[in-house]
Amino acid sequence: MKNYQCLKEIQADIQSGQISCKTLVLNYIEKIEENSGLNIFLEVFKDEALESAQKIDQKIKAGNAGKLAGMVISLKDNICYKGHKVSASSKIIEGFESLFSATVVERLIQEDAIIIGRTNCDEFAMGSSNENSAFGIVKNPISSNKVPGGSSGGSAASVAAGMCLASLGSDTGGSIRQPASFCGNIGLKPTYGRVSRHGLIAYASSFDQIGTFANSIEDTAALLEIMSGPDEYDSTLSQKKPNSYTDDIVQEVSSKKIAYLSCYVNHEGLNPEVKEKTLAIIENLKQKGHQVDEINFDYLEQLVPAYYVLTTAEASSNLARYDGVHFGYRSPQAFDLLSTYVKSRSEGFGKEVKRRIMLGTYVLSAGYYDAYYSKAQKIRRLIKERTQEILKDYDFVLSPTTPHPAFDIGSQNEDPIKMYLEDIFTVQANLVGLPAISLPLGITKEKLPFGIQLMGSPFEEGKLLNFSQYLININ
Amino acid sequence: MLKEEVYEKYELVVGLEIHVQLQTKSKAYSSDSAEYGSAPNTHISAISLGHPGTLPRFNENTLQYGVRLGLSCGSEITYENQFARKNYFYADLPKGYQITQDKTPLCLGGSILIKDDQGKDKRIGITRIHMEEDSGKSIHDLDPFNTLVDLNRAGVPLLEIVSEPEIRTPQEAYNYLTEVRQLVRYLEICDGNMEEGSMRCDANVSVRLKGAKEFGQRTETKNLNSIRNVFRAIEYEFKRQIEVIEAGSEIKMETMGFDAVKGTTSSMRSKELAHDYRYFPEPDLQAVYVDSDYIEKVRKDLPALPSELIKKFTSEMNLSTYDAEVLTEEKYFALYFDELTRLTKNYKAAANWMMGAVKSYLNENALTIQEFKIKPDQIAEIIQLIDEGKISNSIANQKIFPYLIEHTNDRPRAIAESNNWIQESDSNALEGFISEAIAMYPEKVEAYRAGNKNLLGLFMGEVMKRSKGKADPKLTSQLLKEKLEN
Amino acid sequence: MGVDRKTVDRIAELARLEFNEAEKEEITNDMNKMLDFVDKLSEVNTDGVEPLVYMLDESTPLRPDVVKQEISQKEALKNAPQKDSDFIKVPKVIERN
């Protein structure tokens, strides 16, 4: 079977009778089973997916299939799907069965998308390499001694390995864009408040967004369009109605103004090939008549620290519900309430999660709140104001997605701080709540992909996707 | 026990924190039922269970009820309401945090009017009123090996009312609670039942030497399950603190429990690990903005409050304060009475009927006034009949009212006529009966004239017998006396 | 600003986590590294700056006070580690009277 890159192709081949949803699903399942060593999927919904495929094949014949008929999607293991297990790749909710589906999952299924399985990720979305899962690391399908990135490593890898057409992940500090960069696909994080978080296992509530992995802008736009918009179950959404993103992407591209931050492009940790490619893209844009300017940004060194103080604080509270009492893992050593808490949590959570809970608890604790949490909130405001100032004058901010392509498994594990700095270019979009996308425009001499990132203004995903398509076309 | 004079050197300082469980249909942050009393773990949802991936959804009535309460207390209503997380671990707290308000309580200031120990008006200031959610229940005594957790109550909306430390006696505390209870019942936001837990009170108690400017160190007493017990606990804690100080020790900031059997407070420390609630703004809820339009809408729909009704009943209808207070104890009882006073000008009689026959009937049959099948206009008709002299009070009470209870659609006038209970008020007829009665007992007449006035009853009885109970007692009594004395 | 063992103990208590000796050594070091790292925040003057609390300039929608029961008691208890037909169970220390 062809290695399909977009839904249009699939739908055309279904129409012409070359394939059916059923054969498509069978093909994907075979791919998954052949490559189980990559440890991408935690669970494959084999029978269910085939059953859905059969039903949808009939709907297609009857002419009443939904917009996503033929699209097979994987879900990151922190997105709830009713009647299915969801574990955030953690032992502490291993075996937990969700009583409801995430709003985005319902909306996609409504349009006849097929959910093929749940993918491995960093535990509770905390990590940048998918090495923090309680169920083993994920290997990058492009080069199996490399990490796929994280925390949505499994999702990115599932698309890169041709195990499904698209995947849903979550992005709190870069957890979609960074693995998209490492795995060579398109990773979109929408504006904060664009897509419902109902059914997303929370890590950091004011940073988390559900987003997509796909191989085409068209598919990205189609998914976003269907997932977006108000939801009575999420009170942090914007009431603004979403655009028709599939329409937006076919509009003509006018001349644009693009900014790039000098502190990003001149970052000492930036891999020379990545830097070269970034500058080449900038040059290309200038030649095509766009205005591309180098802009100052004074808060580079505060980006990741602010992100860590705020996300760990929110996480320490969001993860308090995993207590061994009401659901999930309870330690066999629990003999009273206190030991139920302490033993279950200490045994159930992995090392990185515990680290972040400890830091988060500390920065909120009496005596430290002002110096850390409140301070970080103030800096968040400064970062937001400065970024919005830039976006008043420019349509997009362009940068590399990651300082380098995928690194070796195990190579960043000694120092948590080194790992945190993997997010240096991505956290800004989460701190400010902006839409951002990673485009697979780069490839190193060693054939490792890397992404170029575009950040846009809030709720301007249409413009962002439109220009993304253009950027892909001209590179 | 110390000498009385020692205790009198000190002043009691009390602030009360009252948690009011709101009578909303659904919970504070989810649409599962907030109703009390169903089987365990049935009034729940993924949200109130704190399941992964769930987010809170704010109930509009939590806001409305809170604004009702704030307006009734004269509080300032906050425009931008933020929510906060109060983080701690307990078996009945599924999320591991409570969504509450920290820096921007819904209401600030205001006061509750009470009577002090001398019966004089006193205002107890309110510091704040804020919105939060209840926890579930941990049951420790059903299973010897396990605590049983029921999350039905988890997420039911609460309002917390914090008073200024302006209460100075246990009686004032008692009165304050009584007022708040009545108020929340009038506003129909809570049924104010402390025994069932829909209203809970924690008492912050401290003492200081009379005349001192600084407050003493306070303790917090919890687990008070009746207004009476709040009184007793404060009374005890006052003495206990003085005894500690007089013995040379210091009061520590402690949580105290109250033993209702012994009537004593004791420290609850060491059971719990130290709390640091790590309040921070709730990121899953944006602010709730309360503008003046909303406030005016709520204000317009506010029911008449007890204090307003008492004023009306005493000043416009000349009823005694005591009567007015009894009549306004329960909202719908007061409204029934209010309606009745539109149908009769005999306010005193109306009050007596309400506080007498009606109240007794309701109490004996465990009914509320809303379940009372007799309407105000029927009571008004009874009063009218008495005023017209057509029936006596005793006939009304003993015959007509009970009949009406059994035949709730009938009219009192028709009942009296068809049952021949219209009393005999014709003086001539009465004179006849009286003469007969007197003729029967000449010696008694002598005895009466000699001073035994009690014998009036004997003659009254005779007249009643001869008139088949229809003699107008008042008129009869008057005519009898005249006859007997001459 | 750093953390010592005592502080780590207090934080662990608040977070209901426990560490053995070796882990405690590690977590203390890790926390200190992280705190050093986030000290970069203190290099920026934030006098007069309001903390950013909300990401959007909108308000929380008000949900009508209507009951909607979406799950059953059985479903509610399904994921509980220990339960009977009605309650979630948590072990308790047996009181000796």
Coordinates of all heavy atoms in Angstrom, one line a residue, chain A residues 26-63:
Chain A
L26 N -6.0 -2.3 8.1 CA -5.2 -3.5 8.2 C -3.8 -3.2 7.9 O -2.9 -3.8 8.6 CB -5.8 -4.6 7.2 CG -7.1 -5.3 7.6 CD1 -7.6 -6.1 6.4 CD2 -6.8 -6.2 8.8
N27 N -3.6 -2.4 7.0 CA -2.2 -2.0 6.6 C -1.5 -1.3 7.8 O -0.4 -1.6 8.1 CB -2.3 -1.1 5.4 CG -0.9 -0.5 5.1 OD1 0.0 -1.2 4.7 ND2 -0.7 0.8 5.2
Y28 N -2.2 -0.4 8.4 CA -1.6 0.3 9.5 C -1.3 -0.7 10.7 O -0.2 -0.6 11.3 CB -2.5 1.4 10.0 CG -2.6 2.7 9.1 CD1 -3.9 3.2 8.9 CD2 -1.5 3.3 8.6 CE1 -4.0 4.4 8.1 CE2 -1.6 4.4 7.8 CZ -2.8 4.9 7.5 OH -2.9 6.1 6.8
I29 N -2.2 -1.5 10.9 CA -2.0 -2.5 12.0 C -0.8 -3.3 11.7 O 0.0 -3.6 12.6 CB -3.3 -3.3 12.2 CG1 -4.4 -2.4 12.9 CG2 -3.0 -4.5 13.1 CD1 -5.7 -3.1 13.0
E30 N -0.6 -3.7 10.5 CA 0.5 -4.5 10.1 C 1.8 -3.8 10.4 O 2.8 -4.3 11.0 CB 0.4 -4.9 8.6 CG 1.2 -6.1 8.2 CD 1.1 -6.3 6.7 OE1 0.0 -6.4 6.2 OE2 2.2 -6.4 6.1
K31 N 1.8 -2.5 10.0 CA 3.0 -1.6 10.2 C 3.3 -1.6 11.7 O 4.4 -1.6 12.1 CB 2.7 -0.2 9.8 CG 3.2 0.3 8.5 CD 4.7 0.4 8.4 CE 5.2 0.7 7.0 NZ 4.3 1.6 6.2
I32 N 2.2 -1.4 12.5 CA 2.4 -1.3 13.9 C 3.0 -2.6 14.5 O 4.0 -2.5 15.3 CB 1.1 -1.0 14.7 CG1 0.5 0.4 14.3 CG2 1.2 -1.1 16.2 CD1 -0.9 0.6 14.7
E33 N 2.5 -3.7 14.1 CA 2.9 -5.0 14.6 C 4.4 -5.3 14.2 O 5.2 -5.8 14.9 CB 1.9 -6.1 14.2 CG 0.7 -6.0 15.0 CD -0.4 -6.9 14.6 OE1 -0.3 -7.6 13.6 OE2 -1.5 -7.0 15.3
E34 N 4.7 -4.9 13.0 CA 6.0 -5.2 12.5 C 7.1 -4.3 13.2 O 8.2 -4.7 13.3 CB 6.1 -4.8 11.0 CG 5.6 -5.8 10.0 CD 5.5 -5.3 8.6 OE1 6.0 -4.1 8.4 OE2 5.0 -6.0 7.7
N35 N 6.7 -3.2 13.7 CA 7.6 -2.3 14.3 C 7.4 -2.1 15.8 O 7.7 -1.1 16.4 CB 7.5 -0.9 13.7 CG 8.0 -1.0 12.2 OD1 9.2 -1.1 11.9 ND2 7.0 -0.9 11.3
S36 N 6.9 -3.2 16.4 CA 6.6 -3.1 17.8 C 7.8 -2.8 18.7 O 7.7 -2.3 19.8 CB 5.9 -4.4 18.3 OG 6.8 -5.5 18.1
G37 N 9.0 -3.1 18.2 CA 10.2 -2.8 18.9 C 10.5 -1.3 19.1 O 11.2 -0.9 20.0
L38 N 9.8 -0.4 18.3 CA 9.9 1.0 18.6 C 9.1 1.4 19.8 O 9.3 2.6 20.2 CB 9.4 1.8 17.3 CG 10.2 1.5 16.0 CD1 9.6 2.2 14.8 CD2 11.7 2.0 16.2
N39 N 8.2 0.6 20.2 CA 7.4 0.8 21.5 C 6.6 2.1 21.4 O 6.5 2.8 22.3 CB 8.4 0.9 22.7 CG 7.7 0.7 24.0 OD1 6.6 0.1 24.0 ND2 8.2 1.2 25.0
I40 N 6.0 2.3 20.2 CA 5.2 3.5 19.9 C 3.8 3.4 20.5 O 3.4 4.4 21.1 CB 5.2 3.7 18.4 CG1 6.5 4.2 17.9 CG2 4.1 4.8 18.1 CD1 6.7 4.3 16.4
F41 N 3.2 2.3 20.3 CA 1.8 2.1 20.8 C 1.8 1.4 22.1 O 2.4 0.4 22.3 CB 1.0 1.4 19.8 CG 0.4 2.2 18.7 CD1 1.2 2.5 17.5 CD2 -0.8 2.8 18.8 CE1 0.7 3.3 16.5 CE2 -1.3 3.6 17.8 CZ -0.5 3.9 16.6
L42 N 1.0 1.9 23.1 CA 0.7 1.2 24.3 C -0.5 0.3 24.1 O -0.5 -0.7 24.8 CB 0.4 2.3 25.4 CG 1.5 3.2 25.8 CD1 1.1 4.2 26.9 CD2 2.7 2.3 26.4
E43 N -1.4 0.6 23.2 CA -2.5 -0.2 23.0 C -3.0 0.0 21.6 O -3.1 1.2 21.2 CB -3.6 0.1 24.0 CG -4.7 -1.0 24.1 CD -5.8 -0.6 25.1 OE1 -5.6 0.3 25.9 OE2 -6.8 -1.3 25.1
V44 N -3.4 -1.0 20.9 CA -3.9 -0.9 19.6 C -5.4 -1.3 19.6 O -5.7 -2.4 20.2 CB -3.2 -1.8 18.6 CG1 -3.7 -1.5 17.2 CG2 -1.7 -1.4 18.6
F45 N -6.3 -0.5 19.1 CA -7.7 -0.9 19.2 C -8.1 -1.6 17.9 O -8.9 -1.2 17.1 CB -8.6 0.4 19.4 CG -8.1 1.3 20.5 CD1 -8.1 2.7 20.3 CD2 -7.8 0.8 21.7 CE1 -7.7 3.5 21.3 CE2 -7.4 1.6 22.8 CZ -7.4 3.0 22.6
K46 N -7.4 -2.8 17.8 CA -7.5 -3.5 16.5 C -8.9 -3.8 16.0 O -9.4 -3.4 15.0 CB -6.7 -4.8 16.6 CG -6.5 -5.5 15.3 CD -5.4 -6.6 15.6 CE -5.4 -7.6 14.4 NZ -4.4 -8.7 14.6
D47 N -9.6 -4.6 16.9 CA -11.0 -5.0 16.4 C -11.9 -3.8 16.2 O -12.7 -3.8 15.3 CB -11.6 -6.0 17.5 CG -10.8 -7.2 17.6 OD1 -10.1 -7.6 16.6 OD2 -10.8 -7.8 18.7
E48 N -11.8 -2.9 17.2 CA -12.7 -1.7 17.1 C -12.5 -0.9 15.8 O -13.4 -0.5 15.2 CB -12.3 -0.9 18.3 CG -13.4 -0.4 19.1 CD -12.9 0.5 20.1 OE1 -12.3 0.0 21.1 OE2 -13.2 1.7 20.0
A49 N -11.2 -0.7 15.5 CA -10.8 0.1 14.4 C -11.3 -0.6 13.1 O -11.8 0.0 12.2 CB -9.3 0.3 14.3
L50 N -11.2 -1.9 13.1 CA -11.7 -2.7 11.9 C -13.2 -2.6 11.8 O -13.8 -2.4 10.7 CB -11.2 -4.1 11.9 CG -9.8 -4.3 11.6 CD1 -9.3 -5.7 12.0 CD2 -9.5 -4.0 10.2
E51 N -13.9 -2.7 12.9 CA -15.3 -2.6 12.9 C -15.8 -1.2 12.4 O -16.6 -1.1 11.6 CB -15.8 -2.8 14.3 CG -17.2 -3.4 14.4 CD -17.6 -3.5 15.9 OE1 -17.0 -4.1 16.6 OE2 -18.7 -2.8 16.2
S52 N -15.1 -0.1 13.0 CA -15.4 1.2 12.5 C -15.2 1.4 11.0 O -15.9 1.9 10.3 CB -14.6 2.2 13.2 OG -14.8 2.2 14.6
A53 N -14.0 0.8 10.6 CA -13.7 0.9 9.2 C -14.7 0.3 8.3 O -15.1 0.9 7.3 CB -12.3 0.2 8.9
Q54 N -15.3 -0.8 8.7 CA -16.3 -1.5 7.9 C -17.5 -0.6 7.8 O -18.1 -0.4 6.8 CB -16.7 -2.8 8.5 CG -15.9 -3.9 7.8 CD -16.1 -5.3 8.5 OE1 -15.9 -5.4 9.7 NE2 -16.6 -6.2 7.7
K55 N -17.9 0.0 9.0 CA -19.1 0.8 9.0 C -18.9 2.0 8.1 O -19.8 2.5 7.4 CB -19.4 1.3 10.5 CG -19.9 0.3 11.4 CD -20.8 1.0 12.5 CE -21.2 -0.1 13.5 NZ -20.3 -0.2 14.6
I56 N -17.7 2.6 8.2 CA -17.5 3.8 7.5 C -17.4 3.6 6.0 O -17.8 4.4 5.1 CB -16.2 4.5 8.0 CG1 -16.5 5.1 9.4 CG2 -15.8 5.7 7.1 CD1 -15.3 5.5 10.2
D57 N -16.8 2.4 5.6 CA -16.8 2.0 4.2 C -18.3 2.0 3.7 O -18.5 2.5 2.6 CB -16.2 0.6 4.0 CG -14.7 0.7 4.0 OD1 -14.2 1.7 3.5 OD2 -14.0 -0.3 4.4
Q58 N -19.2 1.5 4.5 CA -20.6 1.5 4.0 C -21.1 2.9 3.9 O -21.9 3.2 3.0 CB -21.4 0.7 5.0 CG -21.2 -0.8 4.9 CD -21.9 -1.6 6.0 OE1 -22.5 -1.0 6.9 NE2 -22.0 -2.9 5.8
K59 N -20.8 3.7 4.9 CA -21.3 5.1 4.8 C -20.7 5.8 3.6 O -21.4 6.6 2.9 CB -20.8 5.9 6.1 CG -21.7 5.6 7.3 CD -21.2 6.3 8.5 CE -21.8 7.7 8.6 NZ -21.5 8.3 10.0
I60 N -19.5 5.5 3.2 CA -18.9 6.1 2.1 C -19.7 5.7 0.8 O -20.0 6.5 0.0 CB -17.4 5.8 1.9 CG1 -16.6 6.4 3.1 CG2 -16.9 6.3 0.6 CD1 -15.1 6.0 3.1
K61 N -20.0 4.4 0.7 CA -20.8 3.9 -0.4 C -22.1 4.6 -0.5 O -22.6 5.0 -1.5 CB -20.9 2.4 -0.3 CG -19.7 1.6 -0.6 CD -20.0 0.2 -1.1 CE -18.8 -0.5 -1.5 NZ -17.9 -0.8 -0.3
A62 N -22.7 4.8 0.7 CA -24.0 5.4 0.8 C -24.0 6.9 0.6 O -25.0 7.6 0.4 CB -24.7 5.1 2.1
G63 N -22.8 7.5 0.6 CA -22.6 8.9 0.3 C -22.9 9.8 1.5 O -23.0 11.0 1.4

